[in-house]
Amino acid sequence: MLIGSMNNPNNNILKEVKRIVRNFDFLDLTLEMPKAMPEKLNIKALKVAIGKTPVVGHTAWYLPMGSPFKELRYYALGELEKSAEAFEKLGVKIFNVHFDTSLGIIDHEHMIEFNLWSLKRLVTIARKHDLDLMAENTPGLFSNPFVLERVFKKLPRLYLHLDVAHANVGQKNTTPQLVKGFSKRIEHIHISDNRGKEDEHLPLGKGFINWNVMLGAIKKSGYDKTITLEVFTSTKDCLADKSKLRKMWDKL
């Protein structure tokens, strides 16, 4: 199992990449505003900074791929293809998008329909750039195992990016069910802690998530790929959690 960290898009991307490459097993490279937009990247300099470190691609969570307006969905696809083009140039092989539930007034059936519409096209876009696509579960509707089963049955070339913290917001954590149901589709995992009401990105042990249960379910499934510490309180906390995660994982 490899432990990684994500660059802060508010900071200089080259400095962020160098920091993560120096301290972690892999880089979770997010391309989003304000300082990590795809069109602003110095690809040559980034390649040098990354070196041989493995990279997982991450995209902006706020793009309207679930909008009821087709024009906005096409806009989101265009922005996400810019990221796919950058990932291709950097030699990345897999990247994520986020299920979109931002417009809460839409009924669930239409929300699922609009997300499926975009995901179907994004799988094709990803393949055009020699990439695989993952969808990251988001709090609520798209952390429901039955909803995700519908999605993944319709899209056999789509993978799951499991966010354990998202699965804990507003409900009993659905991670064990998601791991059991989608173990063959999980290609990447995010972890951070929260107290069950919102996605707080806290250090492990500072919220209410039972990590022995969650990590135990993940390890029991045979998963042994990449896990990102999506801890945003401080760089110091994230580094401390690297050792904590490794110890917990090795004891399971």
Side-chain angles (χ1 to χ4, degrees), residues 46-60:
L46 272 175
K47 280 186 172 182
V48 172
I50 291 168
K52 295 183 179 180
T53 302
V55 182
V56 174
H58 186 276
T59 61

Side-chain angles (χ1 to χ4, degrees), residues 95-155:
F95 76 108
N96 86 337
V97 294
H98 300 72
F99 287 104
D100 176 25
T101 58
S102 56
L103 202 57
I105 61 171
I106 304 175
D107 66 87
H108 286 178
E109 285 303 313
H110 282 97
M111 203 174 285
I112 294 167
E113 177 189 335
F114 297 142
N115 275 272
L116 276 168
W117 184 96
S118 293
L119 286 167
K120 180 179 178 180
R121 288 157 177 80
L122 283 166
V123 168
T124 300
I125 288 170
R127 296 310 304 158
K128 184 173 77 172
H129 296 284
D130 197 27
L131 292 158
D132 285 319
L133 181 73
M134 305 178 288
E136 179 176 348
N137 64 294
T138 47
L141 179 66
F142 289 107
S143 281
N144 182 313
F146 299 104
V147 172
L148 293 184
E149 184 178 10
R150 286 177 58 183
V151 172
F152 285 100
K153 276 188 176 179
K154 286 183 177 292
L155 299 171

Side-chain angles (χ1 to χ4, degrees), residues 49-81:
I50 291 168
K52 295 183 179 180
T53 302
V55 182
V56 174
H58 186 276
T59 61
W61 58 269
Y62 41 79
L63 289 169
M65 59 176 267
S67 172
F69 299 101
K70 189 178 288 188
E71 294 84 356
L72 290 179
R73 298 201 299 272
Y74 273 122
Y75 165 77
L77 297 185
E79 291 300 307
L80 289 164
E81 184 157 17

Side-chain angles (χ1 to χ4, degrees), residues 4-9 11-28 49-50 53 229 231-232 234-239 242:
S5 181
M6 185 186 297
N7 57 297
N8 184 339
N11 299 335
N12 178 279
I13 189 168
L14 279 175
K15 289 182 179 179
E16 284 289 292
V17 167
K18 289 175 182 177
R19 173 183 64 81
I20 293 165
V21 167
R22 186 168 60 248
N23 292 293
F24 292 88
D25 302 328
F26 75 94
L27 167 66
D28 197 331
I50 291 168
T53 302
L229 285 162
V231 174
F232 291 167
S234 72
T235 299
K236 182 179 179 181
D237 286 342
C238 194
L239 282 168
K242 179 186 175 186

